[in-house]
Amino acid sequence: MTPKNNSERVLVIGLDGATFNLITPLMAQGLLPNLARMMQEGSWGTLRSTIQPSSEQAWAAFMTGTNNGKFGVYGFQKRRPDSYQFDYVNGRSISGRSLWRILSDRGKQVIVINVPMTYPPEWVNGVLISGLMTPGVHSQFTYPDGIYEELCEVCGDYRIDVDIESGQLSPEQLLSLGDEAIEMIRLRTCATLHLARTRPWDFLMAMYDASDRLAHKFWKYWDVTHPLHDPALADTLGQVLPRIYQELDKAVGELQAALADENTAVYIISDHGFGPMEKAVYLNRWLAQKGYLALKEGVSLDPREQAQLALRAGLRKAVHKLDSPWVSRMKRWAFHRFSGLKGTLYSSVAFAQMDWSKTQAYALGTMGNIYLNLKGREPQGIVEPGEEAEAVIARLMADLRKLRDPDTGEPVFFAVYRGSELYHGPHADKAPDVVGVKSHRYHVVTADWQSGDEVVVKLGSDLHFVSDQSGQHALDGVLFARGPGIRAGWQVQDARLMDMAPTILYTLGEGIPENMDGAVLKTLFAPDWLAQRPPTIVADTAVAERSGPDEDESDEDREAVRKHLAGLGYLD
Ligand SMILES: [Zn+2]
């Protein structure tokens, strides 16, 4: 007799940036009872992120089960063809069908709450509330319409993200940021429980982001090994991250108790890990020193001053000054992490001053992605594709491997790749040409490369836009799994984020589209269970298109962004 479907339902709880670096010590103190129970009753292990381990591409890999070369996202910014301008990514930037699109197309009912990169919301068979990269609650960020109002009525409020402030905040402000994050977690749980109880579902995913947003800001207060740790603040600000994790653990317990019966599989995942951030790496400055990048002659102001002047003049003017296509994109980037936002402004100013006729390569983003200034691709490209490009790439990779931390002698990038060896698929041509992978200890700065000589700089109050951050992403996120057929007390090895979509489809007894690069995490399951229910691969002939509303670029959205930025102290 053939066994029936593996599980009737799947509940996924996303904890953005959750890491065993925090979970393990907190669990040892008995502070995370629900996650500890998951480990006893189910399987657990690290979950390898994408390269780079950044939320936008990581969640895209999760939802499509493919590598960046197929879904086509390599950072928060994507290069505009034939220009040195950048657009900000959102759900529309992702090629390929999402897990919830596939399930919807097969008649399954889904509820998807606050997953990054889902704005504008797809028309799924169920409910979708978009997450990171959503303009705000005033935008049409739910499918169907009206969900926001419903949640406000039931739960009192609904928030997409915490308002992360930049710069140096007072201890009181930081503590209230912690309170706000905890309130947001509670609202998210309320929203999830309400939707789950009032709508039918086969697949439900609820996403919490406080574990990422606050880890950037609060790491040094908690981690006594961090160079900027202040013991005087350990009892107050040092308790914020543990409190956030305890609140998330409580949410995990509540959702499972209310929603997961014996026929429901539960997956708890993060998109990347976290660890202490200690130094900034000025990558474009390094490229300039190595002769790969040149600045226009006669530029007097450094980009930091220019950016500040421009910002003081008001956001509209600032953006107009920088590059007009930005205006229409502003609403998207304004709502993601502040460092990314600020770094982007700076990099645009810096790029405007580059002498492209003498520039072979430039870095973009906060991770370690480098692009050649390629003839035929970049408007003023100087590197000939083919042999010359290969030679520049080879030399650049060799140089990048030699870039060391002056304090420790360690290489800044523990791995250096050609984009073409990491990524494959129809969008591999948009990949960075050289990819340096660093640990959480370093934060890459791709602007502000003229005013100074040092490439690797310790964090401190004089570092203007990373000084208020002390945590950064790491490659290894977390996975907890429990449910029918899933082994108990088992540590799973070598699990990757891109394996989750096929694993979830398998869990629901669904065939896995052959286009997916991830694979079912077979070692999660008891061997006899697996033997009776072998995974099936199916041809995926469906058109890989999103379905959703057209974007609106309203003045209201832009004004909301301006206010948001002003509220962050960004327009002083
Ligand atoms: Zn993330």
Side-chain angles (χ1 to χ4, degrees), residues 20 33 39 58 90 117 161 188 206 212 234 240 266 269 284 303 326 343 416 464 496 540:
F20 284 113
M39 284 169 94
N90 67 9
M117 298 285 283
D161 212 337
R188 189 76 37 85
D212 176 284
V240 172
V266 181
I269 57 169
N284 275 329
W326 273 44
V416 177
H464 57 283
R496 301 170 303 173
D540 191 8

Side-chain angles (χ1 to χ4, degrees), residues 78-378:
K78 67 176 178 190
R79 217 182 29 214
R80 271 200 171 188
D82 301 319
S83 81
Y84 295 105
Q85 293 163 3
F86 303 92
D87 289 334
Y88 289 81
V89 297
N90 67 9
R92 287 181 187 281
S93 315
I94 298 172
S95 288
R97 287 198 301 163
S98 63
L99 179 57
W100 28 94
R101 176 83 266 140
I102 293 167
L103 289 170
S104 294
D105 289 350
R106 295 182 189 173
K108 297 281 183 190
Q109 287 167 309
V110 303
I111 299 175
V112 182
I113 302 169
N114 217 70
V115 179
M117 298 285 283
T118 52
Y119 179 85
E122 283 188 85
W123 297 334
V124 293
N125 184 25
V127 176
L128 190 145
I129 304 174
S130 65
L132 179 72
M133 307 310 266
T134 299
V137 293
H138 60 276
S139 64
Q140 201 190 328
F141 74 108
T142 71
Y143 177 82
D145 217 5
I147 297 287
Y148 173 57
E149 291 75 11
E150 182 179 329
L151 292 175
C152 285
E153 195 160 311
V154 175
C155 300
D157 195 3
Y158 182 86
R159 291 177 208 161
I160 299 169
D161 212 337
V162 274
D163 257 7
I164 281 286
E165 312 253 344
S166 81
Q168 305 291 338
L169 300 183
S170 70
E172 292 71 32
Q173 286 173 308
L174 285 166
L175 284 173
S176 70
L177 191 61
D179 291 340
E180 193 197 325
I182 283 174
E183 175 66 9
M184 190 180 69
I185 294 169
R186 290 178 183 159
L187 290 168
R188 189 76 37 85
T189 302
C190 176
T192 304
L193 289 174
H194 169 71
L195 292 173
R197 284 165 174 158
T198 52
R199 273 88 177 161
W201 55 275
D202 303 293
F203 171 86
L204 186 153
M205 178 161 181
M207 181 68 215
Y208 294 87
D209 22 40
S211 37
D212 176 284
R213 306 300 181 275
L214 272 73
H216 279 293
K217 198 109 186 152
F218 285 85
W219 195 277
K220 67 182 174 189
Y221 301 112
W222 169 81
D223 180 354
V224 296
T225 70
H226 195 281
L228 298 178
H229 179 72
D230 180 354
L233 296 171
D235 285 343
T236 50
L237 295 180
Q239 294 306 308
V240 172
L241 266 186
R243 272 179 68 214
I244 295 292
Y245 268 68
Q246 281 178 272
E247 193 65 33
L248 291 170
D249 182 81
K250 205 174 120 194
V252 163
E254 278 176 37
L255 292 185
Q256 287 198 69
L259 307 178
D261 60 16
E262 70 277 10
N263 295 317
T264 306
V266 181
Y267 292 103
I268 299 174
I269 57 169
S270 68
D271 54 334
H272 49 76
F274 245 95
M277 176 173 110
E278 295 165 8
K279 288 166 188 181
V281 178
Y282 289 82
L283 201 50
N284 275 329
R285 183 181 293 167
W286 177 82
L287 285 169
Q289 289 173 2
K290 290 282 167 192
Y292 292 99
L293 183 153
L295 179 70
K296 277 179 198 158
E297 280 181 40
V299 175
S300 55
L301 278 177
D302 83 8
R304 191 195 316 190
E305 285 171 45
Q306 283 216 344
Q308 279 165 354
L309 281 178
L311 286 169
R312 276 189 207 111
L315 189 64
R316 274 169 200 274
K317 277 187 196 161
V319 168
H320 186 71
K321 244 182 183 176
L322 296 172
D323 257 332
S324 54
W326 273 44
V327 178
S328 62
R329 306 293 162 187
M330 194 181 315
K331 64 176 189 177
R332 292 188 210 137
W333 55 259
F335 288 84
H336 69 249
R337 236 184 41 251
F338 198 67
S339 63
L341 171 73
K342 212 161 178 180
T344 298
L345 260 181
Y346 283 97
S347 65
S348 177
V349 174
F351 281 12
Q353 299 185 347
M354 278 180 193
D355 184 348
W356 295 109
S357 73
K358 294 175 186 157
T359 293
Q360 289 181 310
Y362 59 97
L364 176 68
T366 58
M367 290 287 167
N369 287 350
I370 300 177
Y371 293 85
L372 294 188
N373 189 26
L374 199 65
K375 233 180 232 178
R377 186 180 68 184
E378 272 77 359

